[in-house]
Amino acid sequence: MIKTRSAYTKQIKQLDGHVSVIGQAVVEDIENTAKAIGDGNKDAAQETIDGHDSFERLHRNVEDTCMTLMLLQQPMASDLRLVTASFRAISDLARIDEMAYETALLTEEIDLTVPKELADLLVSMADKAATMVRQAVVSFGNGDVADAEKVFEEDDALDALYEQVRVKVIEYLKNGTESATAAPEFLSVAKYFERMGDHAQSVADWSIFRATGSYRGRTMGEND
Amino acid sequence: MAESMSVKDLNLYYGDHQALKDITLDMPAGKVTAFIGPSGCGKSTLLRCLNRMNDRIEGCRVEGTVKLGDTDVYENYDVYELRRRVGMVFQKPNPFPLSIYDNVAYGPRHHGKPSKAELDQIVETTLTDVGLWDEVKDKLDHSGLSLSGGQAQRLCIARALAVNPGVLLMDEPTSALDPISTGLVEELAVKVAKEHTVIIVTHNMQQATRISTKCAFFYLGELVEAAPTAQLFSTPKDKRTEDYLTGRFG
């Protein structure tokens, strides 16, 4: 339990680092799902599954740190923005990681490497989602609002990929081919990646809030 | 009725020492404005300028304007009338060595000729407003000095409000009080601000965030920054404010 001001300053700096570590772990887990789907790399999927518990512990520890800082130190100004933005951003990152974990589990149960045209689309979605999360996390750390804004621009491409998957899945279901049996799972995974993009946007939004005190077009205190 | 106050290009000197430097600030009517900053930054000095409490300090010189509404309080303005319209509550509760009743009735008696019935009404209404009536209604003839710290501070607030000022100045009014009394005084400040503009000096930043709608940060006699409170405490514009709020000063 921290009490003195110097310990507080140290913990604030550590918090910044922890968000970055969590963000990197999430990006790696998304990339692992891409490897599992694209190359049938079971080891990659297993890595994400094995790391899930320790990720959860880290996520909870950072949440506890934020709560403790708010309770005992009542941070203000840029510290307040860091603590509140971290608290929200790691929640988004945890949701993304949960979806990567679920996807990894699915690849253990079902072969998502065929049909290849669907697998390729999912890999493209995973790559896009990983890029968005990476950009959002980097902008969270360096306060670069322009970088954070790029995350929002990327989301349309991810949505377009999801739409392509959806259309293909419907085709497979209509044709009733052998591949149709795994079609619902392909659509579920595509939906996971599409939602990862939404959460990445949310992280980018918290990056902007951390840097500027504004979020979703509104500045704290402007209604007072 | 709540009145606004403003200062423009205000400079204050104690002899050769300049304690306030070019202060320009609006304090809106019907709101709580908080002054924050490290010790010696000039926030209490500015507060005392607002009802000319510095006048009697030897060597004190004030330049610039201090306005109550549209009236410049340093230009041919009766200082007793000013202090009726701009009341003050101090850090340490300072009831007069009079009865509770007479503490509240003191101001109205000196600023008019109310009847006994009118005075009774003022005392009851004002003590009710500050949440003290139920606690003292059966001992109005007891000395104001017999009250606890929190009660005594609320009595002092009642004494200031009894003459219906447009502005109430509070100089660290809760620094000598326990958390419960502090909470009562904070509730009171927010409640009375609608009718009596409140301007408060506080070292307690959480107090400033809890009760004020506008906050001004002072440093070395300068007004560094003034903004809506939530904005100042979340997104200060000046690095000195940022450093002060995050405890990284110096």
Side-chain angles (χ1 to χ4, degrees), chain B residues 8-249:
Chain B
K8 190 163 188 298
D9 302 326
L10 188 77
N11 291 284
L12 183 141
Y13 303 84
Y14 293 124
D16 294 335
H17 172 67
Q18 186 170 4
L20 293 176
K21 300 168 187 170
D22 291 323
I23 309 289
T24 295
L25 178 67
D26 292 325
M27 290 145 278
K31 307 282 184 189
V32 178
T33 299
F35 295 172
I36 62 167
S39 297
C41 68
K43 54 192 186 299
S44 289
T45 300
L46 175 61
L47 194 77
R48 287 198 302 269
C49 280
L50 300 180
N51 70 347
R52 293 179 53 180
M53 294 282 283
N54 293 317
D55 282 12
R56 298 182 72 177
I57 297 176
E58 199 176 328
C60 180
R61 182 162 53 89
V62 177
E63 295 171 356
T65 54
V66 176
K67 284 190 174 178
L68 173 61
D70 294 327
T71 310
D72 188 336
V73 303
Y74 278 88
E75 285 287 326
N76 299 319
Y77 196 84
D78 178 65
V79 75
Y80 295 104
E81 173 59 10
L82 172 65
R83 287 175 195 161
R84 187 197 66 74
R85 287 174 65 186
V86 184
M88 189 148 190
V89 176
F90 297 90
Q91 179 177 2
K92 194 176 169 201
N94 58 346
F96 297 148
L98 302 169
S99 70
I100 293 168
Y101 183 99
D102 286 336
N103 262 276
V104 182
Y106 188 89
R109 277 195 186 117
H110 284 76
H111 288 286
K113 301 283 180 199
S115 65
K116 176 73 169 70
E118 286 170 331
L119 215 46
D120 287 350
Q121 187 59 50
I122 289 171
V123 169
E124 179 173 346
T125 303
T126 315
L127 287 172
T128 301
D129 285 346
V130 302
L132 205 53
W133 176 251
D134 287 340
E135 293 166 57
V136 302
K137 64 185 176 190
D138 298 324
K139 51 178 183 179
L140 291 173
D141 55 339
H142 289 206
S143 170
L145 301 175
S146 66
L147 297 174
S148 70
Q151 288 175 322
Q153 192 64 302
R154 281 184 284 149
L155 177 64
C156 293
I157 294 171
R159 187 178 67 198
L161 295 180
V163 292
N164 196 24
V167 179
L168 183 63
L169 309 178
M170 303 178 104
D171 193 356
E172 297 185 54
T174 62
S175 61
L177 304 184
D178 65 71
I180 292 170
S181 298
T182 296
L184 290 172
V185 171
E186 288 179 0
E187 295 275 354
L188 190 51
V190 173
K191 185 178 128 189
V192 303
K194 295 184 183 85
E195 295 296 322
H196 318 274
T197 302
V198 170
I199 303 166
I200 183 170
V201 166
T202 179
H203 274 293
N204 183 333
M205 290 192 279
Q206 276 68 43
Q207 181 170 72
T209 60
R210 281 194 294 268
I211 69 173
S212 70
T213 52
K214 182 174 184 176
C215 190
F217 170 64
F218 295 85
Y219 183 57
L220 296 176
E222 286 180 48
L223 170 60
V224 174
E225 189 170 352
T229 299
Q231 194 176 313
L232 186 103
F233 281 90
S234 65
T235 323
K237 301 282 184 276
D238 193 287
K239 187 176 184 306
R240 290 169 292 178
T241 317
E242 168 82 29
D243 287 348
Y244 181 72
L245 294 178
T246 56
R248 298 186 183 91
F249 223 63

Side-chain angles (χ1 to χ4, degrees), chain A residues 8-199:
Chain A
Y8 162 72
T9 305
K10 191 175 166 191
Q11 195 133 6
I12 283 282
K13 281 183 185 162
Q14 284 174 340
L15 176 60
D16 212 353
H18 285 152
V19 175
S20 173
V21 167
I22 286 181
Q24 285 164 15
V26 171
V27 170
E28 282 168 20
D29 283 341
I30 300 171
E31 288 171 344
N32 280 340
T33 63
K35 287 175 194 165
I37 295 167
D39 312 328
N41 186 336
K42 298 282 183 191
D43 290 344
Q46 195 58 47
E47 194 180 313
T48 291
I49 293 164
D50 291 345
H52 187 63
D53 284 348
S54 57
F55 178 89
E56 255 315 282
R57 279 196 297 277
L58 179 59
H59 163 228
R60 293 296 171 200
N61 278 344
V62 176
E63 265 188 354
D64 284 349
T65 300
C66 292
M67 291 294 283
T68 305
L69 283 165
M70 285 192 265
L71 174 69
L72 299 181
Q73 299 286 354
Q74 296 92 40
M76 286 181 178
S78 59
D79 291 351
L80 173 71
R81 301 201 305 273
L82 168 63
V83 175
T84 51
S86 297
F87 192 66
R88 299 300 301 269
I90 59 164
S91 180
D92 281 307
L93 290 169
R95 297 283 179 282
I96 296 171
D97 203 67
E98 188 67 32
M99 289 186 277
Y101 170 70
E102 293 290 338
T103 303
L105 286 177
L106 262 179
T107 63
E108 300 263 290
E109 295 169 15
I110 298 165
D111 184 4
L112 294 176
T113 59
V114 287
K116 192 167 183 319
E117 61 175 346
L118 270 180
D120 286 347
L121 281 172
L122 289 188
V123 169
S124 296
M125 289 191 80
D127 289 344
K128 181 63 75 181
T131 300
M132 289 172 71
V133 174
R134 188 183 298 107
Q135 276 180 336
V137 171
V138 168
S139 69
F140 191 94
N142 66 17
D144 190 326
V145 174
D147 264 1
E149 292 290 354
K150 283 180 194 158
V151 176
F152 295 92
E153 293 163 15
E154 304 263 6
D155 194 51
D156 285 348
L158 191 55
D159 288 347
L161 284 167
Y162 172 73
E163 189 55 23
Q164 285 182 49
V165 173
R166 196 182 68 81
V167 170
K168 286 282 173 199
V169 163
I170 291 169
E171 278 177 21
Y172 278 106
L173 288 171
K174 276 183 180 167
N175 295 339
T177 59
E178 195 178 329
S179 304
T181 51
E185 279 73 23
F186 273 97
L187 197 58
S188 294
V189 172
K191 191 66 189 169
Y192 281 154
F193 290 134
E194 189 269 333
R195 283 173 57 200
M196 286 181 194
D198 293 341
H199 284 290

